[in-house]
Amino acid sequence: MFRSSRIFIFLVAIVANGLVYADFSPTFSVPVGRSAFAFALSDDETQAVVVNLFSRRADDGVEGANVNFVDLVSGQVTDQIQVGTRLTSVAIAGQTVVLVNQDEDAVRLVDLDTKQEITRVFSGSRPATALRLDQNTVAIANGTSGD
């Protein structure tokens, strides 16, 4: 039997004068499927979006789901949706979730509130990583595939 992946949430406190104290015991953990691959935090840090490289099976949540929305206050998965295939990265800019869909050479945009896909944007060969630059801007890095 293959166990579900879990994300572990840690709290880190920064102390004055440049000293850093980190408590590495998890505050809580949340099951997010068998192939959790990347995550991003909402602007207010109350939500996390976790993407799975592969879709869930029926015995592990919503069949086919590969995007998990986690409420960091309650420590619960609040929603699961399927968007594209082989999601390799995620970033959140404002209320827009940016999902890197490597197999389809595309970036998919999802509304953080409604959990509905807004659009798919073709991004060139093998998009690999999304990096939030500010509240309105996400950079996408493409990998190489030899094509």
Side-chain angles (χ1 to χ4, degrees), residues 24-40:
F24 289 103
S25 55
T27 305
F28 59 85
S29 67
V30 181
V32 290
R34 290 181 165 83
S35 60
F37 202 74
F39 78 96

Side-chain angles (χ1 to χ4, degrees), residues 7 10 13 15 18-19 39 45 49 58 70-71 75 87 93 97 105-107 115 118 120 129 137-139 143-144:
I7 62 167
F10 297 90
V15 181
L19 299 175
F39 78 96
E45 299 180 353
V49 177
V70 180
D71 180 327
L87 301 179
V97 179
D105 295 339
V107 174
K115 316 301 189 263
I118 300 166
R120 178 172 59 168
T129 304
T137 310
V138 173
T144 58

